[in-house]
Amino acid sequence: MSNHPANRIQDLQYFGEFGGVNPSISDSSTYTFLSAKTMFDTFEGNADGCYLYSRHSSPSNLYLGEALAAMEGTETANVTATGMGAIVPALLQLCKAGEHIVSSRTIYGGTYAFLKNFAPRFQISTSFVDITKLDTVEAAITSNTKVLYCESVSNPLLEVADIKALSTLAKKHGLQLLVDNTFSPLSISPASLGADVVLHSLTKFINGSSDTMGGVMCGTQDFINELRNVNDGASMLLGASMDSLRAASILKNLRTLHIRIKQHSKNALFLAEKFEQDGLKTVYPGLPSHPSHELFKNMMNNEYGFGGMLTIDVGSLDKANELMELMQERNLGYLAVSLGFYKTLFSAPGSSTSSEIPEEEQQEMGLSDGLIRFSIGLDNDIERTYRMMKECMKEVGVL
Ligand code: PLP
């Protein structure tokens, strides 16, 4: 097996039912059995290759899952209806009442809100820490801790997690290391660095066309079997299964991910360098000024670059809003949350995707009002884009 993530996707071979070059779509919610005994065995989890009911699994979902497992280099994977539909069941499968999670404090607002406000209903508590400080991470671990949780590149601050070092910590304390790799598919392969479970919101770069939601948990066959167990599997019982039609469409988009990521990264690096030279407070892991630039370089699969996400701080929310509205008016991108689209997307996370995080905590983690998060698009002529963006920045008085 190739140890290159895009080659592993390419090396898979499927044919459709009638020799089609795309696998046939399993457009059924339920499946027939020739014998009642096989149906019983399937319920018991003892009839490999048989399908039961599409909340459990479907051929289309398995194809997509296998392609994503190949990408992440894990034994297998389970696709879900949304990214949160992967994150929440993965955490609930691993933690029960009285247990504890140590999580990075800079994570997607929805994940933060789940851990802070919802998981306590199940008596699962979370300590939020600065994930870049390994001493602080270790100090937060208690005898009840089961999971260490982080994003490879965090939303929205673009902090980089030292996955190898975190994995060493996790192993030392008998924890599972869960890594959300939504911001850095292909660029970083968390499982090869020691992560136990790799999560994605497929809604973002992996699908890449902002037309669907999706999620995945990639891990061992045993863990995925547990998640799908009809009696106590969190994925099976919480019900966030992906629809087969969507699995088929995401699989088709996945095939161009390597080309898209290279272009997102190339464009983002170009803009980040220019913005920084212009004196804007710019954060991008590809800039030597990023505190974890060297760490990212050590972890990355070189050819995919540092990803498509960057932030600038323009000082105030009013200025950020003015600039974003003008950039949208000039068709440089859309004022929208989410990421990984062909067009540039921008939003002010403090008042949108991270608004679940209380203001004083936002300040403590360095999430300022004037921060604009960019998901840089696939623009063909990024120099032209830069010139037009600079014009907007001058007009609103940011430059
Ligand atoms: N993880 C990250 C890093 C995200 O940015 C998001 C969504 O913004 C999610 C997970 C949740 O994914 P979804 O919106 O597909 O549920």
Side-chain angles (χ1 to χ4, degrees):
M1 203 205 229
S2 164
N3 63 9
H4 187 294
N7 291 2
R8 289 194 297 258
I9 298 174
Q10 185 190 322
D11 290 347
L12 296 169
Q13 187 183 50
Y14 327 91
F15 299 111
E17 206 174 348
F18 303 102
V21 294
N22 290 304
S24 307
I25 300 173
S26 47
D27 194 19
S28 294
S29 57
T30 190
Y31 298 82
T32 59
F33 290 89
L34 292 179
S35 83
K37 161 118 185 27
T38 322
M39 181 185 268
F40 175 77
D41 288 344
T42 309
F43 261 99
E44 295 286 292
N46 299 328
D48 258 4
C50 288
Y51 297 95
L52 186 67
Y53 185 63
S54 287
R55 177 155 46 79
H56 185 245
S57 70
S58 76
S60 297
N61 288 13
L62 291 191
Y63 286 133
L64 177 61
E66 288 316 303
L68 291 164
M71 178 179 88
E72 288 298 0
T74 58
E75 280 176 24
T76 189
N78 183 56
V79 295
T80 52
T82 67
M84 287 307 288
I87 293 166
V88 169
L91 289 168
L92 291 181
Q93 195 68 41
L94 293 168
C95 299
K96 48 183 198 301
E99 293 181 337
H100 175 247
I101 294 167
V102 174
S103 169
S104 166
R105 65 182 185 185
T106 68
I107 48 173
Y108 164 59
T111 312
Y112 179 91
F114 171 73
L115 290 171
K116 175 134 201 227
N117 307 327
F118 207 94
R121 293 189 191 188
F122 303 103
Q123 273 116 43
I124 296 167
S125 59
T126 302
S127 300
F128 294 97
V129 295
D130 179 342
I131 204 74
T132 64
K133 298 209 167 77
L134 294 169
D135 291 351
T136 317
V137 176
E138 186 160 26
I141 297 170
T142 72
S143 55
N144 294 326
T145 309
K146 286 285 175 275
V147 165
L148 191 49
Y149 185 90
C150 66
E151 295 173 359
S152 331
V153 178
S154 78
N155 183 359
L157 293 178
L158 311 183
E159 284 179 355
V160 179
D162 186 343
I163 299 170
K164 252 190 201 160
L166 291 169
S167 150
T168 305
L169 261 189
K171 287 196 173 62
K172 179 173 159 195
H173 294 275
L175 317 180
Q176 291 285 298
L177 175 62
L178 269 60
V179 179
D180 179 338
N181 198 28
T182 300
F183 273 31
S184 46
L186 296 178
S187 295
I188 295 180
S189 300
S192 73
L193 300 165
D196 298 292
V197 180
V198 184
L199 302 152
H200 280 280
S201 166
L202 305 178
T203 317
K204 313 292 160 46
F205 289 100
I206 290 182
N207 183 60
S209 48
S210 292
D211 58 354
T212 184
M213 309 291 297
V216 69
M217 53 276 264
C218 306
T220 61
Q221 187 71 55
D222 283 349
F223 181 56
I224 301 300
N225 287 350
E226 279 174 34
L227 282 163
R228 288 195 187 130
N229 189 296
V230 293
N231 293 309
D232 60 4
S235 204
M236 177 69 183
L237 298 176
L238 293 175
S241 306
M242 178 173 275
D243 182 75
S244 292
L245 291 174
R246 276 312 185 186
S249 73
I250 296 172
L251 180 61
K252 283 173 237 174
N253 286 4
L254 179 65
R255 295 171 183 156
T256 57
L257 181 65
H258 57 300
I259 301 167
R260 290 186 278 115
I261 289 291
K262 286 178 195 175
Q263 187 73 8
H264 284 299
S265 290
K266 177 172 158 256
N267 286 351
L269 179 63
F270 181 88
L271 290 179
E273 284 175 346
K274 291 289 187 195
F275 291 162
E276 188 170 63
Q277 280 161 19
D278 289 337
L280 287 167
K281 219 166 129 192
T282 310
V283 174
Y284 182 65
L287 293 175
S289 60
H290 189 289
S292 302
H293 177 62
E294 288 304 320
L295 170 64
F296 195 117
K297 275 192 358 198
N298 287 335
M299 292 197 294
M300 76 195 289
N301 299 312
N302 271 327
E303 67 195 280
Y304 299 106
F306 297 88
M309 303 302 295
L310 66 86
T311 68
I312 59 170
D313 191 339
V314 297
S316 72
L317 182 59
D318 286 346
K319 275 279 169 251
N321 289 341
E322 208 184 330
L323 177 60
M324 292 190 293
E325 285 170 11
L326 186 61
M327 287 192 296
Q328 175 161 262
E329 202 180 296
R330 304 269 162 90
N331 202 9
L332 286 163
Y334 297 136
L335 203 179
V337 298
S338 203
L339 38 133
F341 198 36
Y342 82 102
K343 204 119 170 160
T344 293
L345 302 178
F346 31 80
S347 55
S351 53
S352 61
T353 49
S354 297
S355 57
E356 297 92 339
I357 303 172
E359 227 169 278
E360 63 280 13
E361 285 174 48
Q362 290 194 19
Q363 272 165 17
E364 208 183 298
M365 62 175 71
L367 208 175
S368 53
D369 273 358
L371 194 83
I372 303 179
R373 183 188 79 178
F374 285 80
S375 162
I376 303 300
L378 301 171
D379 305 23
N380 178 54
D381 183 352
I382 198 66
E383 292 187 32
R384 182 183 73 139
T385 302
Y386 166 64
R387 284 195 302 275
M388 291 169 71
M389 281 186 174
K390 193 165 174 179
E391 211 39 60
C392 296
M393 288 170 182
K394 281 186 181 155
E395 280 182 45
V396 303
V398 164
L399 277 181

